[in-house]
Amino acid sequence: MKKTIILYWSLSGNTERVASSIQKGLDEGGFETLLKKLDEADSINFFDYDLICFGVPSHNWHPPKPADDYLKAKLSRYKKENRILINTPKIQGKNALIFCTYSGPHTGIREAVPVGKYVGQFFEHLGFQVVDEWYVLSELHGSEENNTLGRMGNIKGLPSEHDLEMIQSRARILASRLTE
């Protein structure tokens, strides 16, 4: 059975809800899953898993500082262990899924894409294959103006239950693709 860990940082609960939907879908797809908040995951060894799912919200087109610090600490650790080499080869069977919640009141999804690319680089430097990046439009809690007047229109209540069901379905499909 393939092993996966879903690591996430969430302030308002949006990213946590997405992480839980991913877990449900991967479970349905036959993966053995573990769901952890980043502040509970210091001892996690990425190389123990076939799939790392890593989720954060977009904060001014960057990951939040606690998530960035977590990734930098992991990278430093793996450098000391000589896991990061020049021209790091892809490691067969080691995959990463990046997911990012965003509200995008100014430029839409373009505010989130830099976060996904940035986070993905940490895994690519380890030799993991980034299998996908998922961007999930989400309410910006505490900002009526950004939720109703931003580029994305009225995003109050997002991600919706329908959105979360679609994420669960995508995760199930991803699991079947990775077990072929």
Side-chain angles (χ1 to χ4, degrees), residues 9-79:
W9 188 92
S10 185
L11 183 61
S12 68
N14 291 334
T15 308
E16 182 173 26
R17 291 173 59 214
V18 172
S20 293
S21 292
I22 291 171
Q23 182 183 31
K24 289 175 190 171
L26 292 174
D27 282 344
E28 291 170 356
F31 271 59
E32 177 186 327
T33 64
L34 180 61
L35 180 69
K36 287 254 186 208
K37 294 178 181 179
L38 285 186
D39 62 0
E40 302 168 346
D42 285 340
S43 64
I44 296 298
N45 182 352
F46 292 165
F47 293 94
D48 289 343
Y49 297 90
D50 303 296
L51 175 65
I52 306 285
C53 302
F54 197 93
V56 293
S58 172
H59 283 191
N60 298 317
W61 58 91
H62 292 86
K65 185 171 177 9
D68 193 29
D69 290 347
Y70 177 88
L71 287 169
K72 286 177 179 175
K74 284 291 190 189
L75 194 67
S76 177
R77 173 186 162 200
Y78 290 130
K79 278 183 181 178

